[in-house]
């Protein structure tokens, strides 16, 4: 094709781009008329997509600084000495340090966040994933910045067959899409099924997941020396993400940090 022909093609594409933009906006307006955007929790009509109404937004208990540097637990006040650098550690982290470096979460596992997670996990509400992905990237900025790759907490085969998807993998995909981080969904595997963690004590939870994970041999080279961001939906006592972190570290990972949507925060205390 001649240079003149290439110029004509470029001019044509330039002329069509505004029209394509107008068409997309018109299609979006038509879609809003046919199916008006609704709140992702209560389904009340609202003015935008991938959002919550004001009432449901107020029901999300976002975790904001100050937080425990290790566990991500909200702290009642900043206990770092004035002008001092270094991490701020909660009593829970001081008494029982986790195997992972840092954990961060978007919100407490209550109210609106609990409803969003239950919708995703148990009712196939994949329309919430974009909002949750944006929240995760915002809450996990410091751990995302230090990560080389993203690994989701794996589901047991039976649960995966019943649910048809792994919610931690879905969240990891959204983080990878928004940040460009490498996503390795198969770098960590469950080696055996475990009983439900619901109702178990902290010690029983740890025994339940001990030895339940492994890094497959074909992924060992990718894990070795990497700073890994481990993703899950909810951190309760940290037993599951702790077992996963130990497995990744034994496989040679340089560091493991954790990012979750929600955190059970009842045990947040300040060290004396």
């Amino acid at each position: 094709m001649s240079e003149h022909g290439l110029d004509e093609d470029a001019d044509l594409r330039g002329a069509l781009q505004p029209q394509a933009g107008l068409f997309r906006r018109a299609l979006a307006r038509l879609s809003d008329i046919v199916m008006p955007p609704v709140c992702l929790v209560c389904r009340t009509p609202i003015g935008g997509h991938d959002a919550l109404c004001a009432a449901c937004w107020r029901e999300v208990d976002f975790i904001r600084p100050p937080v425990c540097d290790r566990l991500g637990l909200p702290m009642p006040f900043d206990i770092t000495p004035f002008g001092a650098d270094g991490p701020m550690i909660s009593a829970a982290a001081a008494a029982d340090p986790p195997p992972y470096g840092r954990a961060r979460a978007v919100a407490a596992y209550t109210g609106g966040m609990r409803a969003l997670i239950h919708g995703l996990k148990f009712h196939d509400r994949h329309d919430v994933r974009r909002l949750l992905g944006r929240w995760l990237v915002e809450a996990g900025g410091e751990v995302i910045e230090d990560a080389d790759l993203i690994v989701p907490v794996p589901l047991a085969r039976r649960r995966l067959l019943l649910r048809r998807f792994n919610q931690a993998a879905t969240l990891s995909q959204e983080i990878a899409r928004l940040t460009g981080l490498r996503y390795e969904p198969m770098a960590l595997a469950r080696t055996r099924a475990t009983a439900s963690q619901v109702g178990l004590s902290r010690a029983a939870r740890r025994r339940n997941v001990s030895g339940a994970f492994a890094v497959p041999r074909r992924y060992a080279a990718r894990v070795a020396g990497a700073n890994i961001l481990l993703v899950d939906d909810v951190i309760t006592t940290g037993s599951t993400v702790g077992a996963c972190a130990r497995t990744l570290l034994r496989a040679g990972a340089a560091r493991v940090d954790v990012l979750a949507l929600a955190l059970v925060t009842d045990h947040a205390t300040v060290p004396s």
Side-chain angles (χ1 to χ4, degrees):
M1 182 180 292
S2 68
E3 185 177 333
H4 179 68
L6 290 173
D7 289 342
E8 287 182 342
D9 286 347
D11 290 343
L12 181 60
R13 286 194 298 271
L16 289 176
Q17 280 176 354
Q19 296 178 7
L22 288 171
F23 177 75
R24 284 194 296 270
R25 288 193 290 274
L27 190 62
R29 285 195 291 269
L30 178 61
S31 174
D32 288 348
I33 293 171
V34 176
M35 294 183 295
V38 296
C39 171
L40 293 173
V41 173
C42 70
R43 314 304 288 173
T44 298
I46 56 175
H49 293 276
D50 300 330
L52 307 182
C53 68
C56 290
W57 185 274
R58 289 193 295 269
E59 288 295 312
V60 180
D61 184 10
F62 290 102
I63 295 174
R64 303 298 190 199
V67 299
C68 169
D69 188 70
R70 296 297 303 278
L71 299 177
L73 296 167
M75 306 286 278
F77 52 85
D78 191 335
I79 61 170
T80 305
F82 180 75
D85 292 324
M88 181 167 54
I89 304 299
S90 65
D96 188 14
Y100 46 84
R102 298 164 294 177
R104 294 294 182 267
V106 174
Y109 188 49
T110 58
M113 180 57 84
R114 184 184 178 97
L116 287 166
I117 291 173
H118 277 225
L120 173 64
K121 286 175 70 170
F122 306 120
H123 304 293
D124 287 340
R125 287 287 309 280
H126 288 267
D127 54 333
V128 304
R129 61 187 291 171
R130 289 184 178 271
L131 174 65
L132 299 180
R134 293 197 301 271
W135 282 354
L136 283 163
V137 170
E138 180 182 349
E142 57 187 325
V143 291
I144 290 172
E145 183 179 357
D146 294 336
D148 298 317
L149 56 91
I150 305 172
V151 175
V153 171
L155 271 183
R157 186 183 300 274
R158 181 177 60 84
R159 280 189 197 157
L160 186 59
L161 289 172
L162 288 172
R163 197 174 293 167
R164 302 189 304 281
F165 73 99
N166 176 4
Q167 69 278 359
T170 297
L171 298 171
S172 297
Q173 285 177 305
E174 282 299 305
I175 297 169
R177 182 182 66 83
L178 292 168
T179 65
L181 273 175
R182 195 173 75 193
Y183 169 51
E184 292 287 359
M186 308 301 289
L188 190 63
R190 283 204 183 235
T191 56
R192 61 177 177 82
T194 56
S196 171
Q197 297 277 68
V198 177
L200 297 181
S201 67
R202 182 183 295 268
R205 283 172 178 260
R206 287 188 178 179
R207 290 194 299 271
N208 188 39
V209 295
S210 178
F213 303 96
V215 173
R217 186 175 302 174
R218 64 184 180 275
Y219 291 97
R222 303 182 200 183
V223 168
N227 293 328
I228 294 176
L229 181 63
L230 181 67
V231 175
D232 205 0
D233 56 343
V234 182
I235 302 173
T236 304
T237 64
S239 300
T240 299
V241 291
C244 290
R246 288 187 189 93
T247 301
L248 291 165
L249 291 167
R250 282 197 298 267
R255 181 185 181 95
V256 178
D257 289 322
V258 179
L259 181 58
L261 280 174
L263 188 63
V264 175
T265 61
D266 300 358
H267 52 292
T269 55
V270 178
S272 55

